[in-house]
Amino acid sequence: MAHEDRRLQVLRAIVQDYVSTNDPVGSKALAARYDLGVSPATIRNDMAVLEEEGYITQPHTSAGRVPTDKGYRFFVDRISQVKPLSAAERRAIERFLDGALDLDDVLARTVRLLAQLTRNVAVIQYPTLARSAVRHLEVVQLASNRLLVVLITDTGRVEQRVVEIPVVTDAPAGADPVAELRTLLNAAFVGAKLAEAGLKVADLLDTAPAHLRGLVAAVSATLVETLAEPGEDRLLVGGTANLTRGGALDFPGTLRPLLEALEEQVVVLRLMGEVAPSHVLVSIGEENAHEGFTGASVVSVGYGSAGGTADLALGGLGVVGPTRMDYPGTMAAVRAVARYVGQLLAES
Amino acid sequence: MAHEDRRLQVLRAIVQDYVSTNDPVGSKALAARYDLGVSPATIRNDMAVLEEEGYITQPHTSAGRVPTDKGYRFFVDRISQVKPLSAAERRAIERFLDGALDLDDVLARTVRLLAQLTRNVAVIQYPTLARSAVRHLEVVQLASNRLLVVLITDTGRVEQRVVEIPVVTDAPAGADPVAELRTLLNAAFVGAKLAEAGLKVADLLDTAPAHLRGLVAAVSATLVETLAEPGEDRLLVGGTANLTRGGALDFPGTLRPLLEALEEQVVVLRLMGEVAPSHVLVSIGEENAHEGFTGASVVSVGYGSAGGTADLALGGLGVVGPTRMDYPGTMAAVRAVARYVGQLLAES
DNA sequence: GCTGGCACTCGGGAGCAGTGAGTGCCAGAC
DNA sequence: GTCTGGCACTCACTGCTCCCGAGTGCCAGC
């Protein structure tokens, strides 16, 4: 029906207007600012229906309407138009990310960039260890019973662990057990995906010379353990100052729970959940299970393995902001940045 | 004089009361809550003098008095009593920090601990590279013209850089230039303080075999450059949620500038400035040059080289909070944590 | 099915009096 | 000289009422 269609236009107009002005929007303002071709009275009727259906709500009688979470959801899924990035924004992305020194630097810059582009809080997950391949393993002796093991992956991530080891007693005279261990480990693991490392450990334990068994066992245990903790993936957060834009308006309670949740990295990691590089995930208000996020939306996407058939991400990145956010713009920015970061990591 | 002395007691009482209640404190409340042995009227006279001298101020007539920055300064320098940590707090420190896996983990735990103990924002600086000694240098070939150099220091810090290198053309057949380079670098640098590394570079360039000169030059340049950037020292921040304690009361404007400053790590690093392990530095309100910090105080101290004669810190740690903070308690916590972290790093 | 008109609702700002915490000052006691 | 009780004064804050206006829902007419 024709008026069914117009109702969606009204909803879209309400969302757009509310996002840009932060004022509940009334029928008159809507008629004046958007070319809907009908009078305020008609719009009022449409709004009554939209409210009935739960897409919008009134903060109080005699105020305009505000989109509900359900309204935003509908907007994002059905009626928002993709907003291409401006040339200036594209340039900003390149300028910002080129010339990064190392992985840490890439991630730090990305977070700053994304926070700046979207004027919200940005988060980025370190590349998952499990899906990276080993480039090199370095072993350094710290003390007679302690080794430092440094793992370097093909995404440039460097992970270090101190390992307690049994003191080697039965080594052939003149041998350098640590050097042997290094050679052994590298021969076994270099090139392997870390997810498969568990399998190789068993082999290695069988084939290693007897006097190295103890060392190999200790180091392997630590490696496997490191990889087995997916929650241990680190997270970088930036742009928290943006939470205070719009005073106390955006976040009804305080922003305390949100700040706390952002420091509890685990919470955010779970929210980003299973991100894939192929499509942007939007989680709105109450849809976020965690209490701190009920007034916020999360827009996230995976990065890495760009265009690959296996749609697995190295990690996720995203933006956290008020439910009242510019979804099309944020989604475009998040997608573009993720793509660029993916390229950057693939190159190195 | 006797009443000069009492005036200081009044000032102390005002600071203590204001810190704990967050209400401007009046003469009557003071007389009731603190055993000053005089009547409210007398206290009023003292307060008039203290105000005259700039130690306290009235938000408005008919309100109590509030300490000024100068008042806090005097309190910290002259009349505060050291507040020993409770047994529970000591236990918390040990429980929290023991069992840390590596340097990153130690620092992350420290920040969380300090934020929790002081109920404010905690910051910690990564151990300065310049004052650490090299434990090991690892070189990994990424591509024919790119190396990854990983530097491991005796404080457990791991730093990585990608180095662009000239392609080696004149190597003897069958040689492995990267392995040679690794041997060479480790022979030259291991055990050296990084601050002295610059000197060694020159030697190395002279003595290195001709076909490695290009490599050595490129890698050395990067190393020296890395060390020359003191501002590049990284910083960990935690407990920002504590800024919202006490609603908008503590930070008069918004807390936006403060959050921004905390993300601009450089700003904080400069505020911590030249911290020494020997004594706790307190910077109050307007004393902080940066605008975002004019409503805040910073309590910082150096950690590392505990008890050494050369009183140089590996890095600084500290707490950022409202000027209205519990200075004695915060100072005690900061000092205790720094000492413990210093020990922990010395052990490893 | 759309529109103009109209009565109704209600949040928020302005104006205003009352309250009480806190002050400054002064005269008298120790 | 120092402290104290008393007293008048100031002024933020609270609660109250009133009023305005934005926005609504409904209805009759086109």
Side-chain angles (χ1 to χ4, degrees), chain B residues 35-259:
Chain B
D35 195 17
L36 297 168
V38 290
S39 78
T42 309
I43 293 177
R44 279 205 287 281
N45 291 330
D46 289 338
M47 296 207 299
V49 177
L50 286 170
E51 180 159 21
E52 179 87 10
E53 292 171 340
Y55 294 112
I56 56 179
T57 185
Q58 299 186 60
H60 54 259
T61 341
S62 94
R65 303 303 217 288
V66 162
T68 59
D69 288 354
K70 186 178 171 188
Y72 286 122
R73 166 56 56 199
F74 194 85
F75 175 81
V76 167
D77 289 347
R78 311 282 293 278
I79 49 180
S80 67
Q81 293 134 338
V82 178
K83 185 194 278 183
L85 288 188
S86 71
E89 287 170 320
R90 300 210 159 275
R91 266 199 310 276
I93 294 181
E94 293 185 21
R95 188 155 27 86
F96 228 91
L97 295 185
D98 280 352
L101 294 169
D102 57 17
L103 178 68
D104 278 336
D105 202 32
V106 169
L107 300 186
R109 282 172 190 239
T110 304
V111 146
R112 278 229 300 281
L113 168 67
L114 202 53
Q116 196 172 304
L117 278 178
T118 63
R119 320 232 310 143
N120 273 314
V121 178
V123 295
I124 188 167
Q125 191 182 356
Y126 270 67
T128 319
L129 284 174
R131 288 188 198 126
S132 315
V134 178
R135 175 168 274 153
H136 186 77
L137 275 165
E138 184 53 39
V139 184
V140 182
Q141 183 134 28
L142 299 185
S144 65
N145 66 337
R146 273 215 299 255
L147 293 185
L148 179 68
V149 178
V150 181
L151 165 69
I152 303 171
T153 74
D154 61 350
T155 50
R157 182 161 169 183
V158 176
E159 198 72 15
Q160 45 186 307
R161 284 286 179 284
V162 174
V163 183
E164 303 277 339
I165 51 162
V167 177
V168 178
T169 53
D170 53 350
D176 179 351
V178 171
E180 291 179 54
L181 178 66
R182 182 186 302 128
T183 312
L184 213 58
L185 288 175
N186 277 293
F189 289 116
V190 167
K193 293 271 171 193
L194 281 168
E196 313 152 4
L199 302 174
K200 307 233 171 189
V201 168
D203 290 357
L204 195 57
L205 277 174
D206 287 344
T207 57
H211 69 282
L212 288 181
R213 291 274 161 84
L215 288 185
V216 171
V219 173
S220 307
T222 302
L223 278 181
V224 170
E225 180 187 306
T226 302
L227 302 174
E229 294 173 29
E232 224 251 331
D233 285 319
R234 285 166 59 206
L235 192 72
L236 225 52
V237 179
T240 45
N242 288 324
L243 289 177
T244 63
R245 272 193 316 134
L249 296 166
D250 283 344
F251 297 96
T254 63
L255 48 162
R256 164 138 233 208
L258 195 51
L259 278 171

Side-chain angles (χ1 to χ4, degrees), chain A residues 250-273:
Chain A
D250 284 344
F251 296 97
T254 64
L255 47 161
R256 164 139 233 205
L258 194 50
L259 279 171
E260 275 172 355
L262 284 172
E263 290 204 352
E264 276 303 326
Q265 314 207 326
V266 188
V267 175
V268 184
L269 288 169
R270 199 166 31 205
L271 284 181
M272 298 213 304

Side-chain angles (χ1 to χ4, degrees), chain B residues 282-297:
Chain B
V282 180
S283 180
I284 299 169
E286 303 277 352
E287 297 172 7
N288 296 308
H290 192 273
E291 58 150 338
F293 281 83
T294 48
S297 287

